[in-house]
Amino acid sequence: MPNTHTPSSMSSWKWLPNFIFQICLINHVAIVKSQFPTPIFIHFKCQNNGTYTSSGTYKKNLDILLSSVSPNIDTNGFYKASIGKNSDRVNLIALCRADLQPYQCRDYVKNATAEILKKCPYKKEAIIWHEFCMVRYSNNAIFGKVAYSPFDWGYSIEYVPNEDKFYRELYILLDSLHNRTVRNRSSKKFAAASRAYPDYRTIYAFLQCTPDITPRDCGDCLTRSALEIQHCCRGARGVRILRPSCYLRFETDPFYNETMVETIL
Ligand SMILES: *[C@@H]1O[C@H](CO)[C@@H](O)[C@H](O)[C@H]1NC(C)=O
């Protein structure tokens, strides 16, 4: 059985190549299309909620569902589907980060769906947070239900000077994005913005919820994630808090597509 947890200390080391990738992402659009950075940011949790056999119906249903994600994910980057009955029922949700274009979203979920099977073989329930998307499946009902756990995080190993002041500015930005995400009436439940912080560097942040939960649940999820920063990663200059229902990330370098964000928001 694979390890079900990527230690955070490991994940922080994955940050640097990833950061270089993001510079490539911003400067060279073409690179993104087919090439994945190595190592790519991947966190996953294999849940102890039953197992399936390689010859059983659950496995068959899961394979069908996973292969249906990339061709069927909608232009908003969201997909939910289920197949099967009772103990063979598989429910799946996939969500791309809101600033991706549809072709990028399809590429990334394709990679993520292949990866999650390798990471969590025989587990009926699993979740993967890939660089730009999230995919989860379960035998239990998951649609329209907020899920705060399992959760994970990644953070930069670089620390900000003048931590208290930085965090005051960060929380002003996160609060405003929290409100904008919750009030967002478009099909993409997200908000992204930057805030100048002359004492150090500009802060960029991105918040997103799955569109199947209520605004209130979305807000609760994001509040928990914002509070979590203090526990998991205080002082880091870049943090991602990963939950099934919501995503929170901030960095002191640009990491999302501002053109796309301006177009949608
Ligand atoms: C950012 O979004 C714009 C507008 O959709 C698009 O033209 C551009 O290629 C995107 N950049 C990247 C790096 O994907």
Side-chain angles (χ1 to χ4, degrees):
M1 283 290 148
N3 193 349
T4 57
H5 182 72
T6 317
S8 322
S9 56
M10 287 276 293
S11 62
S12 57
W13 286 102
K14 286 182 187 168
W15 208 269
L16 198 59
N18 184 32
F19 166 68
I20 292 164
F21 163 68
Q22 282 166 7
I23 292 174
C24 297
L25 177 70
I26 289 151
N27 292 334
H28 305 287
V29 181
I31 292 179
V32 183
K33 192 160 184 181
S34 55
Q35 214 172 299
F36 295 102
T38 26
I40 196 168
F41 180 95
I42 292 179
H43 280 219
F44 60 92
K45 296 275 184 184
C46 313
Q47 311 266 133
N48 285 322
N49 196 8
T51 55
Y52 59 79
T53 58
S54 53
S55 57
T57 310
Y58 194 92
K59 167 71 172 155
K60 229 175 283 167
N61 290 340
L62 180 58
D63 284 345
I64 294 170
L65 265 192
L66 286 174
S67 62
S68 75
V69 180
S70 178
N72 293 304
I73 194 158
D74 70 22
T75 50
N76 294 314
F78 181 63
Y79 182 66
K80 71 179 167 67
S82 40
I83 312 185
K85 285 198 181 119
N86 305 324
S87 65
D88 289 325
R89 185 167 183 81
V90 191
N91 305 292
L92 177 145
I93 289 181
L95 181 72
C96 283
R97 218 173 66 191
D99 58 328
L100 292 200
Q101 303 187 65
Y103 81 87
Q104 295 172 317
C105 175
R106 285 192 297 271
D107 275 4
Y108 282 107
V109 290
K110 194 169 193 174
N111 196 277
T113 48
E115 202 62 41
I116 187 68
L117 263 193
K118 278 188 249 160
K119 301 287 193 207
C120 303
Y122 311 119
K123 294 287 189 185
K124 281 188 151 183
E125 183 169 331
I127 181 166
I128 184 166
W129 296 276
H130 201 264
E131 180 65 48
F132 295 113
C133 63
M134 179 276 297
V135 177
R136 61 187 285 232
Y137 51 80
S138 176
N139 181 226
N140 296 335
I142 54 173
F143 305 150
K145 290 183 166 188
V146 66
Y148 306 121
S149 66
F151 82 103
D152 209 347
W153 59 85
Y155 56 90
S156 162
I157 50 168
E158 276 182 57
Y159 286 84
V160 293
N162 207 344
E163 189 181 297
D164 288 341
K165 212 169 161 197
F166 177 85
Y167 273 71
R168 267 201 301 279
E169 296 298 323
L170 171 69
Y171 277 105
I172 293 171
L173 176 60
L174 292 181
D175 277 350
S176 113
L177 290 177
H178 173 282
N179 294 333
R180 286 167 56 188
T181 306
V182 169
R183 286 199 310 259
N184 190 333
R185 303 223 173 273
S186 85
S187 315
K188 292 183 172 186
K189 304 296 177 202
F190 85 108
S194 58
R195 182 176 173 83
Y197 177 42
D199 280 19
Y200 182 49
R201 297 198 228 165
T202 300
I203 312 170
Y204 300 82
F206 198 107
L207 274 55
Q208 187 172 4
C209 289
T210 59
D212 61 325
I213 58 171
T214 64
R216 190 200 169 98
D217 285 342
C218 169
D220 285 349
C221 192
L222 292 171
T223 299
R224 285 170 191 240
S225 292
L227 291 171
E228 187 58 37
I229 297 167
Q230 309 269 7
H231 301 295
C232 70
C233 322
R234 188 161 175 85
R237 67 169 189 79
V239 173
R240 308 183 203 204
I241 306 291
L242 311 162
R243 295 185 194 275
S245 294
C246 69
Y247 172 88
L248 181 157
R249 181 177 178 187
F250 72 87
E251 302 285 341
T252 51
D253 294 291
F255 67 93
Y256 56 82
N257 187 334
E258 285 179 80
T259 317
M260 195 74 174
V261 167
E262 277 165 24
T263 315
I264 312 169
L265 284 183

